[in-house]
């Protein structure tokens, strides 16, 4: 084999070796690129799966929240319904209470009006009885007057005219010369109603009865008492005249 042929063979081997090495290098790069791409795909898949899992978990939470909200809405609707029923019952109770108060107030008003009418009738009857009894005294019908006045005292024991009735009763007895009964009636006024306008007149009546019974000392004491205790009364004027009169 000639040197030239050997050189050609050597060059051919060298070219083949270089070509083979280049091919081998290209395969490694491709494999690495495929491996890298595969890793990226897997990474992306994992990331996507994580995101999907997160979304699913988030969706579950959202669904749970939606369910809870729906349950709360149902509960709220029930509570609102119960509240409406309670409010209705409360309004009904308030209205019934108002109606009861109005009815009770009307009844009380009717009772008070009835009492007022009864009282007015009693007062009219009281005044009529008193006036009729006093008229009998003034008509000098003393026996009838005493009976009428005693009846008045028995029927109207709390009357504000009781002192005056006792005074006129004492006067009626005195005019009938029933001095004991007259003294009792006059003393009833003095002892039980000392501030009544008829108290001074009753003392004057006692003085007159004592004088009629010839008890001048007692009569004089009554006259002095009138002047001392009721100096501004008409009875005091009469008492002074009686004290100044000759015995």
């Amino acid at each position: 084999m000639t040197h030239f042929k050997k050189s050609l063979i050597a060059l051919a081997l060298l070219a083949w070796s270089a070509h083979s090495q280049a091919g081998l290098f290209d395969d490694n790069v491709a494999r690495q690129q495929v491996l890298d791409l595969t890793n990226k795909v897997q990474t992306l898949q994992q990331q996507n799966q994580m995101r999907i899992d997160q979304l699913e978990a988030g969706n579950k939470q959202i669904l749970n929240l939606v369910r809870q909200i729906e349950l709360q809405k149902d509960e709220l609707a029930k509570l609102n319904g119960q509240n409406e029923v309670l409010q209705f019952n409360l309004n009904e109770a308030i209205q019934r209470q108002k109606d009861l108060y109005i009815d009770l107030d009307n009844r009380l008003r009717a009772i008070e009006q009835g009492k007022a009418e009864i009282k007015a009738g009693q007062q009219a009857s009281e005044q009529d009885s008193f006036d009729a009894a006093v008229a009998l005294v003034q008509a000098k019908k003393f026996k009838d007057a005493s009976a009428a006045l005693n009846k008045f005292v028995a029927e109207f024991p709390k009357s504000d005219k009781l002192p005056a009735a006792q005074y006129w009763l004492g006067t009626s007895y005195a005019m009938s010369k029933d001095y004991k009964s007259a003294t009792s009636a006059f003393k009833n006024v003095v002892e039980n109603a000392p501030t009544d306008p008829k108290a001074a007149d009753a003392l004057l009546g006692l003085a007159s009865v004592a004088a009629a019974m010839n008890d001048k000392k007692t009569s004089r004491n009554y006259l002095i008492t009138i002047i001392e205790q009721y100096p501004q009364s008409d009875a005091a004027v009469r008492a002074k005249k009686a004290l100044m009169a000759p015995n």
Side-chain angles (χ1 to χ4, degrees):
M1 181 180 295
T2 63
H3 179 73
F4 178 75
K5 287 182 178 180
K6 290 181 177 179
S7 298
L8 288 174
I9 293 170
L11 290 171
L13 290 172
L14 181 63
W16 181 82
S17 176
H19 178 74
S20 298
Q21 290 178 355
L24 181 60
F25 177 79
D26 290 340
D27 289 342
N28 290 334
V29 171
R31 288 191 186 94
Q32 186 63 45
Q33 289 177 347
V34 169
L35 181 61
D36 291 342
L37 182 59
T38 301
N39 290 335
K40 287 182 179 180
V41 169
Q42 290 178 348
T43 300
L44 289 173
Q45 287 177 341
Q46 291 175 354
Q47 291 177 349
N48 288 335
Q49 186 61 43
M50 289 177 62
R51 290 173 182 172
I52 291 171
D53 292 341
Q54 290 176 351
L55 287 173
E56 289 179 350
N59 288 336
K60 289 181 180 179
Q61 292 180 350
I62 291 172
L63 289 174
N64 288 333
L65 289 174
V66 170
R67 291 192 188 98
Q68 292 177 6
I69 291 171
E70 291 299 324
L71 290 174
Q72 290 178 350
K73 284 183 177 179
D74 293 340
E75 186 66 23
L76 182 60
K78 291 179 181 178
L79 292 175
N80 285 333
Q82 293 175 358
N83 183 59
E84 289 177 359
V85 172
L86 291 174
Q87 186 63 46
F88 175 80
N89 292 336
L90 178 60
N91 292 336
E92 287 290 310
I94 292 173
Q95 187 60 47
R96 286 196 299 270
Q97 195 71 16
K98 287 182 179 179
D99 293 340
L100 178 63
Y101 284 147
I102 292 173
D103 181 65
L104 180 60
D105 184 65
N106 290 335
R107 292 183 181 220
L108 289 175
R109 288 177 183 273
I111 291 172
E112 291 300 324
Q113 184 176 358
K115 287 182 178 180
E117 291 174 353
I118 292 172
K119 186 176 180 180
Q122 288 176 341
Q123 289 177 344
S125 176
E126 176 184 326
Q127 186 66 50
D128 292 342
S129 297
F130 178 79
D131 292 342
V134 173
L136 289 172
V137 177
Q138 294 171 342
K140 298 182 181 181
K141 296 180 180 181
F142 302 119
K143 184 177 180 180
D144 293 337
S146 298
L149 288 164
N150 277 313
K151 183 180 178 182
F152 178 87
V153 171
E155 289 181 351
F156 306 102
K158 295 183 179 180
S159 172
D160 56 358
K161 296 178 178 61
L162 196 60
Q166 289 286 359
Y167 166 78
W168 286 108
L169 183 60
T171 301
S172 181
Y173 282 136
M175 298 304 294
S176 300
K177 295 184 180 181
D178 184 355
Y179 299 130
K180 182 178 179 180
S181 297
T183 299
S184 177
F186 286 138
K187 282 186 176 180
N188 185 291
V189 181
V190 174
E191 293 173 359
N192 295 323
T195 60
D196 191 87
K198 284 296 183 182
D201 294 333
L203 278 171
L204 191 60
L206 286 170
S208 299
V209 169
M213 297 173 67
N214 294 317
D215 188 352
K216 295 181 179 180
K217 181 179 180 180
T218 300
S219 179
R220 181 179 179 83
N221 289 338
Y222 282 131
L223 294 173
I224 293 172
T225 300
I226 294 171
I227 295 170
E228 289 177 346
Q229 294 185 4
Y230 306 98
Q232 304 300 321
S233 65
D234 292 337
V237 175
R238 296 170 63 183
K240 290 177 182 178
K241 291 182 179 179
L243 286 172
M244 292 185 340
N247 295 330

